[in-house]
Amino acid sequence: GAVVSQHPSRVICKSGTSVKIECRSLDFQATTMFWYRQFPKQSLMLMATSNEGSKATYEQGVEKDKFLINHASLTLSTLTVTSAHPEDSSFYICSAKAGGRADTQYFGPGTRLTVL
Amino acid sequence: GESVGLHLPTLSVQEGDNSIINCAYSNSASDYFIWYKQESGKGPQFIIDIRSNMDKRQGQRVTVLLNKTVKHLSLQIAATQPGDSAVYFCAEKGWGSTLGRLYFGRGTQLTVWP
């Protein structure tokens, strides 16, 4: 149980284009989903928290107009990197948490984004 | 958890030995703690968690110890295997956090030698 998927697993795009990453909870309903970014040999850096049906809460320093997050259903959240630039190249990981008193976040396999 | 840094602590153990990975956390009001294992190029995988009303919890080959007095968390892996080689992250959740945000430590690279 508690499986989270991400799609695509890796993507290469040209500078200036937009890329959408999907995060799905496969066997539970995720009231809250989180989006992280990770650089090589570093810890996870939280970008934003999204609750189903409401606007995402972005961490300080994360541009909400550049990293668009939509959490339209209890099993799907999307992250769109708009007008991507080479410095946006990174490993993006989502996690999902059930509602109520559940605290455990279950992570997706990550998406490797390379912007040329 | 510890602040994010550029240098990843490392731990090398021989196959079959026990491993102990340590983590110092910062918020005395944190009420939930969790350990993740992350293999190269993959997302973090849940290992074990513990609430602040406990000081020890055991899983299969793993034990988490919580010392709230000194704000210290440890993960013990018994009979470490080559497949245990990965980066291990501890994370904490603040009491009363409505969104359930986790604060991650910087991770420890565990290498298991045959």
Side-chain angles (χ1 to χ4, degrees), chain B residues 80-98:
Chain B
T80 314
Q81 302 168 0
D84 294 326
S85 294
V87 177
Y88 289 81
F89 291 100
C90 66
E92 61 182 302
K93 183 188 78 71
W95 181 85
S97 169
T98 55

Side-chain angles (χ1 to χ4, degrees), chain A residues 23-114:
Chain A
C23 177
R24 294 181 186 273
S25 56
L26 299 184
D27 52 1
F28 68 102
Q29 292 188 326
T31 305
T32 309
M33 286 185 168
F34 303 83
W35 287 96
Y36 295 83
R37 184 173 180 177
Q38 188 178 36
F39 294 103
K41 297 195 182 299
Q42 292 194 24
S43 189
L44 288 79
M45 183 176 71
L46 180 65
M47 299 174 66
T49 302
S50 73
N51 281 315
E52 184 264 340
S54 60
K55 289 185 179 180
T57 303
Y58 289 82
E59 294 300 302
Q60 192 172 9
V62 178
E63 300 176 59
K64 61 181 180 181
D65 294 330
K66 180 167 186 61
F67 298 99
L68 301 178
I69 291 171
N70 184 280
H71 192 162
S73 78
L74 285 173
T75 59
L76 173 65
S77 176
T78 60
L79 167 68
T80 302
V81 183
T82 62
S83 187
H85 290 284
E87 57 264 30
D88 298 323
S89 298
S90 191
F91 192 51
Y92 292 88
I93 319 172
C94 73
S95 71
K97 185 178 77 71
R101 299 191 60 190
D103 286 321
T104 307
Q105 290 184 28
Y106 295 96
F107 283 83
T111 297
R112 172 71 59 191
L113 170 63
T114 303

Side-chain angles (χ1 to χ4, degrees), chain B residues 15-28:
Chain B
E15 181 179 359
D17 287 351
N18 296 333
S19 302
I20 299 176
I21 301 172
N22 296 303
C23 179
Y25 63 94
S26 54
N27 187 351
S28 58

